[in-house]
Amino acid sequence: MAQVSEEREDRVDATGDEPAGPATSESGEASRLSAAGTAGAEVPATPVAEPAPEVVKKASKAGRNLPAAIGVGLLLGAAIIVSLLTVRFLFIGIIAIAIAVGTFEFAGVLRRVADIKVAVIPVLVGGQAMIWLAWPFGREGALTAFVLTVLACLLWRLPGGAKGYLRDISASTFAAAYLPLFGAFAAMLVPPSDGVGRVLTFLIGVVASDTGGYIAGVLGGKHPMAPTISPKKTWEGFGGSLVGGVVAGALTLSLLLDGHVWQGIIFGVAIVLTATLGDLVESLIKRDLGVKDMGTLLPGHGGIMDRLDSLLPSAVVSWLLLSAFVPLG
């Protein structure tokens, strides 16, 4: 009843008049009884049924299916760890699969929502070339494959005519850069002799940033960081990300790669900044398209693209900083 009363008060405040209905029918009932008495007929009072209290479903403060999200996260983490501890180059295969699925998701959403036609086949084929050529040839292999992919997109879209050509080519080039080119930097962490340590430093830094921000945001998030882009992201959550990322960076870089603690602190701060940027960019893209998630493949998470958002830009920065801090072995 308290909930109903509050809603009635809100409506009175908004309109200046109380709405008609069972809750405001007392005067009408009295008038009818008075009229009946005047006519000499006795009319029994009809009890007015009180509206049932509304059941207000409280949304989970976590904002998602937490058990499913944890389960999927553990399965993905186990697959990555097994690949790294057995044949570490299998991790490149995991990257390649994730990028291919993410490309399908991204292209599908753009087509359904905005009628933007990404050159899917050139981006898929070129994307795999970027990732696998980054293994033996490093940056040169990835960048060469990227340039050829853009050229292939330009040619692929020619038969479609002038209408929407620039729009489709722009989206195709963005997809090729944002997904496989960024992903190629994660693949470049694997080949050195200490590649397992490099990959783990990168992944643990991003996971610690995301987890620290999530916990701090759920427990004490009150001040929105970017309310027009991602209303649930708060400055308290960002502080939690900084704590998690810096601690993870200091520990992993010093213990796994024989680096210095100060290097780990710089690395941790950089990862938090790029992971947060990735989250905000993904949120902005989804807001622009009017979708909640890019896909439904991962219960509790959304699609593959929804999990790659903080990883992709962080892979670029991880490769750059670890190459500068720790000599390649």
Side-chain angles (χ1 to χ4, degrees), residues 187-263:
M188 285 191 281
L189 293 171
V190 178
S193 58
D194 57 355
V196 172
R198 290 173 186 268
V199 172
L200 287 176
T201 298
F202 153 58
L203 291 176
I204 291 172
V206 175
V207 170
S209 172
D210 285 352
T211 304
Y214 180 74
I215 293 173
V218 167
L219 294 180
K222 294 179 181 177
H223 299 89
M225 186 177 184
T228 60
I229 300 174
S230 182
K232 291 183 179 179
K233 191 171 289 296
T234 62
W235 285 107
E236 291 81 3
F238 182 70
S241 292
L242 274 176
V243 172
V246 166
V247 170
L251 291 175
T252 53
L253 213 134
S254 58
L255 296 176
L256 296 178
L257 296 174
D258 296 324
H260 301 290
V261 171
W262 65 266
Q263 293 173 328

Side-chain angles (χ1 to χ4, degrees), residues 137-214:
F137 301 114
R139 281 176 301 178
E140 289 78 9
L143 290 173
T144 301
F146 172 70
V147 171
L148 293 175
T149 299
V150 174
L151 288 175
C153 290
L154 293 172
L155 293 171
W156 186 270
R157 181 57 180 76
L158 278 178
K163 186 177 180 182
Y165 182 81
L166 181 60
R167 175 198 63 190
D168 294 344
I169 289 302
S170 299
S172 300
T173 303
F174 175 76
Y178 185 59
L179 284 151
L181 184 59
F182 282 14
F185 283 87
M188 285 191 281
L189 293 171
V190 178
S193 58
D194 57 355
V196 172
R198 290 173 186 268
V199 172
L200 287 176
T201 298
F202 153 58
L203 291 176
I204 291 172
V206 175
V207 170
S209 172
D210 285 352
T211 304
Y214 180 74

Side-chain angles (χ1 to χ4, degrees), residues 43-123:
V43 180
T46 305
V48 179
E50 291 189 356
E54 292 181 14
V55 179
V56 180
K57 233 181 179 182
K58 232 179 184 178
S60 167
K61 209 175 178 188
R64 57 177 165 170
N65 186 338
L66 196 55
I70 292 173
V72 170
L74 290 174
L75 283 175
L76 292 174
I80 290 171
I81 290 172
V82 168
S83 70
L84 290 173
L85 296 183
T86 52
V87 181
R88 72 177 187 272
F89 290 101
L90 289 175
F91 179 66
I92 298 178
I94 293 176
I95 296 171
I97 293 170
I99 292 298
V101 175
T103 301
F104 267 119
E105 288 179 347
F106 187 53
V109 169
L110 287 180
R111 178 142 198 163
R112 286 193 308 273
V113 174
D115 196 31
I116 297 174
K117 301 174 182 67
V118 172
V120 177
I121 292 179
V123 174

Side-chain angles (χ1 to χ4, degrees), residues 235-329:
W235 285 107
E236 291 81 3
F238 182 70
S241 292
L242 274 176
V243 172
V246 166
V247 170
L251 291 175
T252 53
L253 213 134
S254 58
L255 296 176
L256 296 178
L257 296 174
D258 296 324
H260 301 290
V261 171
W262 65 266
Q263 293 173 328
I265 292 172
I266 294 174
F267 179 83
V269 171
I271 289 299
V272 169
L273 293 175
T274 53
T276 302
L277 174 65
D279 282 340
L280 292 174
V281 167
E282 181 84 359
S283 295
L284 203 54
I285 291 171
K286 289 190 285 191
R287 274 188 178 277
D288 186 25
L289 296 174
V291 298
K292 184 177 184 294
D293 293 314
M294 288 291 188
T296 57
L297 184 63
L298 304 176
H301 291 269
I304 288 289
M305 275 287 292
D306 298 293
R307 290 301 90 208
L308 293 176
D309 54 3
S310 56
L311 289 166
L312 289 170
S314 298
V316 179
V317 172
S318 292
W319 184 85
L320 290 171
L321 287 180
L322 292 180
S323 297
F325 289 156
V326 184
L328 295 174

